[in-house]
Amino acid sequence: MRAPSRPRRCIGRVLAGGLLVAASCRQSSDSEADKTATKRAASATRQAADVLVFPDELKADDERINAFVADAMHACGRGEYEAFRGYWSSAEEPLPRGEFEQGWQAVRSIRIRALREARLVRSDDEADGPSERGREERVFVVLATVELDPAHPAGQREPKRDVALLLVDERGEWRLARPTKNMRDWIRAEVEKSEANTVNPSEANARTTSRP
């Protein structure tokens, strides 16, 4: 009597975007399949983590805010639209899927350049009711530089772009939103001023040694 053959298992390939795609079918034991899936998932996680550069000196005192920024940026870096929608404010519509995929599926790096606390005053049109008008709301403004793959059509149009995002508190949970034009201009001016005031160590040494 012939021994029953092992079932054929499809081994998937994990892409950078976190998508599991069937690559081939072969004879494999459960343990081998599990090990393969674990290694590939870990590789995809490391690749996504390597996309984000978030300097410690720019992080907020509240670790929940830092974790939210990192999680949201990782979702963007992986091109995960549904996850991105989950991070977006329920008060406004996020980017359409097509626009998101054009700009976020060719990401090489995301560098956080600023994370600043600010105060947002809702206008009459934005307020939920009379009690909300004129009330100051604690928010955070993020400025990130996104570098795209130049081989991708989106990267060919604009290989590097600055993205400003607003962090708003919705019932105790942080969410992404669009900043006002004033806030975008403010955060860019703050970053330019901060970076202009940063002295290169080699320049500082040159100035010191040139003194009489």
Side-chain angles (χ1 to χ4, degrees), residues 175-190:
R175 291 291 181 264
L176 297 175
R178 294 183 181 87
T180 63
K181 182 181 184 302
N182 287 342
M183 282 194 167
R184 291 197 303 270
D185 293 343
W186 169 74
I187 194 67
R188 288 190 177 109
E190 286 290 299

Side-chain angles (χ1 to χ4, degrees), residues 39-189:
K39 287 180 180 179
R40 287 172 175 165
S43 176
T45 300
R46 285 195 301 271
Q47 185 174 358
D50 292 341
V51 166
L52 180 64
V53 179
F54 192 177
D56 290 339
E57 63 269 20
L58 300 181
K59 293 180 178 178
D61 293 335
D62 189 339
E63 282 302 321
R64 295 174 301 173
I65 296 170
N66 300 326
F68 175 79
V69 171
D71 290 345
M73 292 298 98
H74 283 155
C76 290
R78 292 191 296 263
E80 296 178 349
Y81 183 69
E82 292 304 321
F84 166 76
R85 282 183 62 93
Y87 289 117
W88 201 263
S89 168
S90 60
E92 60 183 50
E93 283 294 318
L95 290 175
R97 180 185 291 273
E99 188 175 342
F100 175 86
E101 290 178 349
Q102 287 179 7
W104 289 103
Q105 289 206 339
V107 174
R108 277 190 167 181
S109 68
I110 303 172
R111 182 176 185 83
I112 304 298
R113 296 174 64 195
L115 175 60
R116 303 285 178 87
E117 184 175 348
R119 291 292 184 270
L120 177 65
V121 179
R122 297 288 182 183
S123 66
D124 291 349
D125 294 337
E126 297 171 323
D128 294 333
S131 62
E132 295 292 314
R133 293 172 186 166
R135 183 179 67 85
E136 283 193 353
E137 179 182 347
R138 177 179 179 246
V139 298
F140 284 83
V141 188
V142 179
L143 183 67
T145 295
V146 181
E147 184 178 353
L148 304 179
D149 184 352
H152 191 277
Q156 292 173 4
R157 291 192 302 271
E158 193 177 3
K160 188 177 289 187
R161 63 186 67 175
D162 286 341
V163 177
L165 293 166
L166 193 65
L167 271 61
V168 297
D169 188 338
E170 290 188 351
R171 295 178 291 278
E173 298 287 340
W174 289 103
R175 291 291 181 264
L176 297 175
R178 294 183 181 87
T180 63
K181 182 181 184 302
N182 287 342
M183 282 194 167
R184 291 197 303 270
D185 293 343
W186 169 74
I187 194 67
R188 288 190 177 109

Side-chain angles (χ1 to χ4, degrees), residues 196-211:
N197 291 335
T198 301
V199 178
N200 187 301
S202 60
E203 293 178 358
N205 291 335
R207 292 174 187 173
T208 302
T209 55
S210 64
R211 287 177 182 173

Side-chain angles (χ1 to χ4, degrees), residues 5-11 24-30 32:
S5 61
R6 288 178 179 172
R8 293 171 64 84
R9 295 186 62 87
C10 289
I11 304 303
S24 63
C25 293
R26 64 176 177 81
Q27 300 283 359
S28 174
S29 66
D30 289 342
E32 289 174 341

